[in-house]
Amino acid sequence: MADQKINILSIESSCDDTAAAVLCNGKILSNIVATQEVHQQYGGVVPELASRAHQQNIVPVIHQALAKANIDKKDLSAIAFTRGPGLMGSLLVGTSFAKSLAMGLNIPLIEVNHMQAHILAHFIEEEGFDKPEFPFLAMTISGGHTQIVKVTDYFKMEVIGETLDDAVGEAFDKSAKILGIAYPGGPLIDKYAREGDPKAFKFPKPKVDGLNFSFSGFKTAVLYFMQRETKKDPEFIEKNLKDICASIQYTIIGILMDKLKKAVKETGITQVAIGGGVSANSGIRQALRDAEGKWGWKCYIPKFEYTTDNAAMIGIAGYHKYLKQDFADFDITAQSRYKF
Ligand code: KG4
Ligand code: ZN
């Protein structure tokens, strides 16, 4: 297989981004994402609207990915797709499309777990980016998940900690909603936080055993704090927005880092990678860079385009399954809850 060109078309449709990518031997030739704006007015993803938008977007997105990669359909080696976890109506669009296309082209089909793909994004060939060595710890932080995973090989992963309720992205987005910031609020909290004082206000950190997380109490604490303060001064939020955002972000990053430190201590593994939408956050990125200097960790921080949902990460996971000839049957179905 050494001098063979392995061209993989990958499809991601688990939530509200319709994405397709083409990879040749693990290198990205194209990486296209159509983000659905329809959800903004509702302050969160509306599953039925997401599914309909995927149906509209999937053909043009795949056409674009193939055109940009300058690859003809007949030169594809396999089709990789996100099987789960995610919204069922959204997953069904990508799954059905991938199955039909692979069947039509008579090439193998490769199923990918979305959460594993967020981790394997670190294996995309990119100049200036080192790849982690096994074993390493991965913290996947997104709008739907918060996990600490021990990774001993490409597909040997063990979840050693996860959220018991809300995901960390929800803690950002729900706090933003309380502050009157538009959905998804995470990136805007990050933006305002850069100009605020992280120690201006103190929010409680949840007490959760082991390596697990809980964020539902945090959101309630933010809500009660704002209600109390705006009763005293109705303009409290406007006057203190940057400091509030900085304090919220500081607390959330503190919660994540406390658990990561614990995981490093318990496993003895000092290589740490992050992935998922919240890994775009400047606070967590800085905290990991600081950890390299302070504690001698080696940290892997993804390129921005591989933090939020994308198909390149599905493609790299698919490529490593292709190398193992690990193909899916055509009667495979999408799985909204898909553990690994
Ligand atoms: O991975 P992702 O695109 O989708 C899911 O699988 O959920 O993650 C989306 C989440 C949202 O909650 C969004 O607010 C958050 O990632 N996010 C951020 C930042 N950029 C995206 N949160 C904090 N700071 C950011 N810069
Ligand atoms: Zn994701």
Side-chain angles (χ1 to χ4, degrees):
M1 228 186 276
D3 50 1
Q4 188 191 338
K5 274 199 172 155
I6 300 165
N7 294 321
I8 296 194
L9 169 71
S10 55
I11 301 171
E12 153 64 32
S13 74
S14 65
C15 190
D16 61 340
D17 294 302
T18 321
V22 178
L23 283 80
C24 177
N25 293 348
K27 246 193 142 104
I28 310 292
L29 300 184
S30 63
N31 185 28
I32 309 291
V33 184
T35 302
Q36 304 175 1
E37 315 237 297
V38 60
H39 308 286
Q40 247 165 27
Q41 58 188 301
Y42 300 100
V45 178
V46 182
E48 177 60 24
L49 295 180
S51 173
R52 289 185 208 182
H54 282 307
Q55 298 224 42
Q56 282 176 341
N57 293 343
I58 196 153
V59 171
V61 163
I62 287 174
H63 266 303
Q64 240 179 302
L66 289 167
K68 183 141 187 251
N70 205 13
I71 292 273
D72 194 277
K73 282 196 290 292
K74 68 175 180 358
D75 296 322
L76 290 174
S77 316
I79 313 278
F81 71 100
T82 304
R83 184 183 181 195
L87 301 170
M88 186 45 99
S90 292
L91 290 167
L92 275 174
V93 178
T95 305
S96 316
F97 199 95
K99 279 161 79 167
S100 326
L101 190 56
M103 208 180 272
L105 295 170
N106 197 22
I107 54 175
L109 180 68
I110 301 171
E111 57 117 347
V112 173
N113 179 304
H114 180 92
M115 296 313 294
Q116 286 194 333
H118 269 303
I119 296 170
L120 295 175
H122 287 279
F123 292 91
I124 293 171
E125 298 282 347
E126 280 288 345
E127 237 168 81
F129 284 78
D130 291 342
K131 296 186 190 118
E133 279 166 29
F134 301 113
F136 65 93
L137 294 177
M139 185 167 72
T140 39
I141 39 180
S142 71
H145 299 270
T146 308
Q147 295 182 326
I148 299 180
V149 182
K150 186 175 157 188
V151 187
T152 41
D153 204 346
Y154 291 106
F155 301 99
K156 272 199 195 127
M157 301 189 187
E158 183 195 351
V159 178
I160 55 173
E162 62 188 330
T163 184
L164 304 174
D165 40 57
D166 287 355
V168 60
E170 286 179 277
F172 273 105
D173 296 340
K174 289 178 179 173
S175 300
K177 203 170 178 182
I178 294 167
L179 300 175
I181 297 173
Y183 174 86
L188 278 176
I189 290 200
D190 189 1
K191 184 170 162 237
Y192 295 133
R194 277 172 227 196
E195 292 169 35
D197 173 5
K199 296 198 177 150
F201 306 105
K202 205 165 161 41
F203 296 103
K205 285 189 191 169
K207 289 191 178 57
V208 189
D209 286 343
L211 298 173
N212 288 332
F213 299 91
S214 165
F215 286 103
S216 67
F218 177 79
K219 156 197 77 190
T220 315
V222 171
L223 178 66
Y224 288 167
F225 176 80
M226 296 309 152
Q227 283 175 342
R228 208 167 52 235
E229 294 300 327
T230 47
K231 218 180 234 172
K232 287 189 251 165
D233 175 5
E235 288 170 20
F236 175 78
I237 294 178
E238 291 88 320
K239 285 182 191 158
N240 298 285
L241 188 61
K242 290 175 180 169
D243 285 348
I244 298 170
C245 288
S247 303
I248 288 175
Q249 181 163 307
Y250 178 76
T251 312
I252 294 177
I253 302 308
I255 296 169
L256 295 175
M257 289 305 291
D258 285 351
K259 293 290 175 168
L260 255 187
K261 270 190 268 179
K262 201 168 171 48
V264 166
K265 200 166 164 219
E266 281 182 16
T267 59
I269 298 170
T270 52
Q271 284 204 91
V272 178
I274 49 167
V278 181
S279 63
N281 182 269
S282 60
I284 189 72
R285 295 168 92 89
Q286 189 56 47
L288 285 190
R289 279 188 215 108
D290 293 346
E292 294 198 318
K294 274 194 289 191
W295 306 313
W297 296 5
K298 171 90 178 109
C299 296
Y300 299 88
I301 301 170
K303 242 178 134 177
F304 280 109
E305 63 242 59
Y306 305 138
T307 56
T308 43
D309 290 347
N310 64 86
M313 67 184 197
I314 306 302
I316 194 72
Y319 173 64
H320 284 281
K321 282 204 170 176
Y322 188 96
L323 295 179
K324 295 181 350 151
Q325 302 280 292
D326 182 357
F327 302 133
D329 291 332
F330 280 100
D331 61 358
I332 194 163
T333 52
Q335 292 223 285
S336 59
R337 287 170 186 275
Y338 187 16
K339 291 206 187 280
F340 54 88

